[in-house]
Each structure stands twice: as structure tokens, then as C-alpha cells.
Amino acid sequence: MLLTEYRLDLVIRALRSILPLEHPADATLRHFFQHERIGSKERALVAETIFGVLRHRLFLEQACAQEATPRRMTLAYWIRFGGYNLRELEPLLMHGESSWLGQVKAISLATLPLPVQAELPEWVIEQLQPTMSDEMILALGRSMQSPAPLDLRVNTLLATRDEVLQTFQSEGMDALPTPYSPIGIRLKNKPALAGHPLFLSGKIEVQDEGSQLLGYLLAPKRSDMVVDFCAGAGGKTLMLGAMMQSQGRLYALDVSEKRLANLKPRLKRSGLSNLHPQLISHENDSRIKRLYGKIDRVLVDAPCSGLGTSRRNPDIKFRQSPESVTGYTRMQASILASASKLLKPGGRLVYATCSFLPQENHAIIDAFLTEHPAFIQRPAGEILAQNKIPMESKTFLQLLPSLHGTDAFFAAVLERVKTTSPQEI
């Protein structure tokens, strides 16, 4: 795309509004676009540059030294990562910027500190180093510097994956089956699907492949009573309902009325009749207590730092902190303890986060098992193998974009094995 002063100014103003990172970048950018009457090409350039700058922010700040202004970060991004050369940028440059950009282009990544190479804040690296080598951290960080593909889940209540693939391929889309989830489809280019007949008819939903695997770990049966404890907008809930063939009883619990409201149109499209959304005030709501000891399967996709979604939300690693993670771990422990009381003897609970931090994952499970002797852990790898999912996984499921091409997900499978009163669990 031809770069002009007008287009550079648009990017600078958008970046200036986003970089304080007081709000999620995508929300701030939507607000910016609502107040700017600009064409689709300009929107695309602004969005691509903004998210590119956020993905490479630590390198760009290093390259800009003491002058990390929106202007200089934009120019440095374009020359280093955006595919533009000095000749294309020259008409936009001020005195001295041409030689500086030449220096930016010549920087050797290998000479930079690990946080800059991995594009991960130093505190994140410090929390990973006890369990990951620097090489693994670098691979993880680099894998999150590229945008995520668009993954879809086929609603098996209404269609098969082969049928959906044939439709997409007949339309010339670059659509392939996901390597792990047997009901997933990956689109290389990100077409707008909101008006597509397959979406409008409820046959497909947007859902990362890693998220789909959680359903196979829970493995609900048709006649089960199932609870999605932190349902949000219900993506995983809808999958569970389809796995149950719209039989049994499925509760979608959440503390956010807005998120549950977003579930309603999706539920209408899905064809499910066994799903019951329920607004709760907190994890110990009386509505939950009425279900203690009655539930066969519980999914706890716990609130977390969200660092595993950094390919989609590159700003999130700058909006979290060690303090915010500590707050999440307290919440996760409380939610897991409450959700566990729902299970019948022999019932199964899957605890999951979209985080790669051990504090939000292994540490939560280890502490729970120590405090709740009525529960044991089931090997995630065994359960996936039973579902013919070709993934090397042992006790936990730990998905990483560097290894699996999915968002970073963690999951542990817990089972209640003793007959105990809820107070003893």
C-alpha cells in the first residue's frame, strides 16, 4: 500500500490513543474507527500496524531508545517488520530519520536481551524460567509474534466436518481440518464469516482448536447433568451441548449478564434444547449450592491472565503484572473449590486456563489436590487417546503455539472418587 502523510498521521493518532493500554487495544481501536471516517484500505493499514507494533513493542522501544514516540515506533515497525523499504518511506521522513532507520534494519536480534528477543516482559520470563529453558521461552515468545489463524468448530448437531470443508473448498477458501480436534477447521486467510450461510444456520462457530480439546477431556455423555462453571459467551458450552446430542441437562453459569446475553443468539442458531443459562452473583451463589453432589461433569475455564491468547491480543502481556496474576490465582483457587462441590462420586471436573504461567495452572491443581483428598487426577493424555486425538500429553494438557499451533491452553482432569459430604470436599 502506498504510504502517505495522511496514512502515517492516522496510524500515529491511533497508536497514541492505544499505547497507554488503559483498555484492551481492540476496543480502543474500534472506538477510534467510530470517530474517523476513513476507507477500508486505511482501516486495514492502521489495524495491521497497530497490532504489529504491539507484537514487537519491546524491540521497537529498544530501537527507538529514548525517543519511543508513536511516530518513530510506526516508522521502525514498517522498515523492520512491515515489508517497506527506505525508498518507500523516504517521502515521509524528517532530517536524520533515514540513517536511523538504516540502523534499525541492521540490528541483530541475537545480540538483544531475552525479553526483547521473545517479546515477553521480564516478569513473565522470570515466572517461566523455573520450568522452561531459555530456548523454550524464546520459541514460545516468537510463536506469539505472528497473528493466529482462524479456527472454526463444526456444530455436529447440524453438520459434519467433511460437509463444511467441501462447502468452503468449493467457494475457493483455503480450509483444512485441524490436526488435533476432529471437529475443527482452520482457515488460512481470515474471511468475514458473520454473513455466511454456514454461520447463520449455526453449523459453524469460531473457536480455537485448543479450546475445542477441552470438550473431549470432559467427554460428557448424553444423559449427564453438566455444568460450565465460567461459561462466558458460551463457546465451549455449545460444544458440550452438541456432544450430548442436546440431551441430558447443561447449565451455563456466569457472573456477567452481558456475556450470557451474548450467548442467546448463538444458542438460538445452535439447535440445542438442553442448555440452561444461569446468572450467578459469585462462585458460592445459592443457585450453585442447590446442585451440590448432583452433577456428572463440570468444566471450569477459569478467569486468568489470558497470556495464552497473545497472538490475538498482543497488548495483554503489557496490561498484566505479577500483582494481577496473584489476584487471579486467589480467584482460581476459590472457583475450583466451589465448583468441585457440584460433583457426584465418580464425577469429572476439567480445570482450564488460557495461560502458560505455572502459578495459574500446575500450582492451583497441586494445592487443590493437597486440600481435597476426595479427588484424584486423571491423565489427560489417556483421555485424549480414548477419543483418538493424536497428541502427546501425559498428566496435564499443556498446549503452546510454538508446539501445537493453538493458543496456549492448560487443562487438568480431576475425578471425585469418595463419597463425602460437600463440607468435606
Side-chain angles (χ1 to χ4, degrees):
M1 180 185 292
L2 177 66
L3 297 177
T4 64
E5 289 283 358
Y6 168 67
R7 287 172 172 169
L8 173 59
D9 180 63
L10 275 177
V11 173
I12 291 171
R13 287 194 287 117
L15 192 55
R16 188 176 293 128
S17 69
I18 284 169
L19 272 183
L21 296 178
E22 294 172 358
H23 305 285
D26 55 353
T28 306
L29 189 57
R30 279 196 302 271
H31 184 265
F32 178 83
F33 284 152
Q34 286 169 359
H35 292 81
E36 296 285 340
R37 293 187 177 182
I38 59 177
S40 58
K41 289 183 179 180
E42 283 76 17
R43 281 175 175 251
L45 175 68
V46 170
E48 181 183 336
T49 303
I50 293 299
F51 284 97
V53 167
L54 291 171
R55 287 189 178 95
H56 299 282
R57 179 182 176 182
L58 297 180
F59 172 88
L60 297 173
E61 288 179 342
Q62 178 104 358
C64 294
Q66 302 303 313
E67 297 181 77
T69 63
R71 174 187 173 84
R72 287 174 78 87
M73 291 181 76
T74 298
L75 293 172
Y77 169 77
W78 280 345
I79 196 74
R80 182 74 188 220
F81 305 105
Y84 293 98
N85 56 44
L86 273 174
R87 179 177 53 80
E88 293 170 292
L89 293 178
E90 197 70 51
L92 308 175
L93 300 183
M94 298 176 181
H95 176 71
E97 287 182 335
S98 180
S99 60
W100 165 67
L101 287 174
Q103 295 168 12
V104 170
K105 202 162 186 179
I107 294 173
S108 169
L109 272 176
T111 65
L112 300 177
L114 179 58
V116 179
Q117 290 189 57
E119 287 292 342
L120 291 170
E122 193 167 343
W123 69 268
V124 172
I125 288 179
E126 288 173 356
Q127 295 197 12
L128 289 175
Q129 281 178 325
T131 57
M132 275 189 177
S133 67
D134 286 358
E135 290 75 16
M136 291 175 66
I137 293 171
L138 185 57
L140 173 62
R142 286 179 172 167
S143 70
M144 295 190 294
Q145 292 171 29
S146 300
L150 179 62
D151 286 356
L152 306 174
R153 175 182 58 79
V154 176
N155 179 359
T156 52
L157 206 61
L158 302 177
T160 67
R161 179 161 73 172
D162 285 344
E163 290 170 353
V164 175
L165 278 170
Q166 287 172 11
T167 299
F168 281 147
Q169 290 164 355
S170 70
E171 295 171 352
M173 291 191 194
D174 191 348
L176 294 170
T178 47
Y180 304 114
S181 170
I183 56 172
I185 291 174
R186 181 161 294 162
L187 299 179
K188 184 177 180 182
N189 305 312
K190 297 182 179 178
L193 294 175
H196 196 284
L198 289 173
F199 180 79
L200 295 174
S201 63
K203 293 180 179 178
I204 57 170
E205 283 279 348
V206 175
Q207 188 175 30
D208 184 77
E209 182 183 24
S211 179
Q212 295 176 37
L213 295 181
L214 301 183
Y216 288 97
L217 287 179
L218 198 67
K221 300 180 178 67
R222 293 187 184 188
S223 59
D224 280 349
M225 289 183 67
V226 178
V227 169
D228 187 347
F229 202 83
C230 307
K236 286 175 282 295
T237 321
L238 296 174
M239 177 182 174
L240 298 175
M243 294 178 78
M244 297 165 71
Q245 292 292 300
S246 197
Q247 299 179 36
R249 194 167 182 85
L250 174 59
Y251 294 93
L253 308 181
D254 205 88
V255 297
S256 169
E257 189 171 4
K258 182 179 179 181
R259 286 196 291 264
L260 288 178
N262 291 334
L263 169 60
K264 289 182 180 178
R266 303 172 77 186
L267 174 57
K268 187 175 181 180
R269 292 193 303 266
S270 72
L272 294 175
S273 58
N274 69 334
L275 200 163
H276 305 275
Q278 181 69 68
L279 181 68
I280 57 174
S281 56
H282 48 74
E283 65 266 27
N284 295 305
D285 192 296
S286 60
R287 297 175 184 86
I288 299 171
K289 292 181 178 179
R290 288 199 292 267
L291 298 174
Y292 280 179
K294 299 178 181 178
I295 304 300
D296 300 283
R297 295 285 192 269
V298 177
L299 175 61
V300 178
D301 186 7
C304 68
S305 66
L307 291 170
T309 66
S310 293
R311 297 184 304 169
R312 305 171 195 280
N313 309 297
D315 56 309
I316 200 162
K317 57 195 173 190
F318 303 115
R319 292 191 298 107
Q320 298 293 1
S321 66
E323 294 73 27
S324 66
V325 170
T326 298
Y328 280 119
T329 60
R330 285 195 290 264
M331 191 187 312
Q332 289 153 1
S334 179
I335 288 172
L336 178 55
S338 179
S340 70
K341 297 175 183 179
L342 296 170
L343 285 181
K344 297 176 179 177
R348 178 183 297 178
L349 183 151
V350 171
Y351 170 88
T353 73
C354 52
S355 172
F356 47 71
L357 295 179
Q359 296 92 317
E360 299 186 86
N361 297 332
H362 301 77
I364 297 295
I365 297 302
D366 290 346
F368 175 83
L369 290 172
T370 299
E371 297 167 8
H372 297 80
F375 286 81
I376 61 169
Q377 187 169 0
R378 292 278 308 279
E382 265 183 29
I383 296 169
L384 292 175
Q386 290 167 6
N387 286 278
K388 299 180 180 179
I389 293 174
M391 174 173 286
E392 289 187 14
S393 181
K394 295 181 180 178
T395 307
F396 300 98
L397 175 67
Q398 179 71 78
L399 299 171
L400 298 173
S402 51
L403 298 177
H404 306 101
T406 66
D407 288 346
F409 269 97
F410 169 89
V413 183
L414 305 174
E415 185 175 299
R416 182 180 171 192
V417 292
K418 295 179 182 176
T419 304
T420 343
S421 69
Q423 289 75 21
E424 296 176 285
I425 296 175

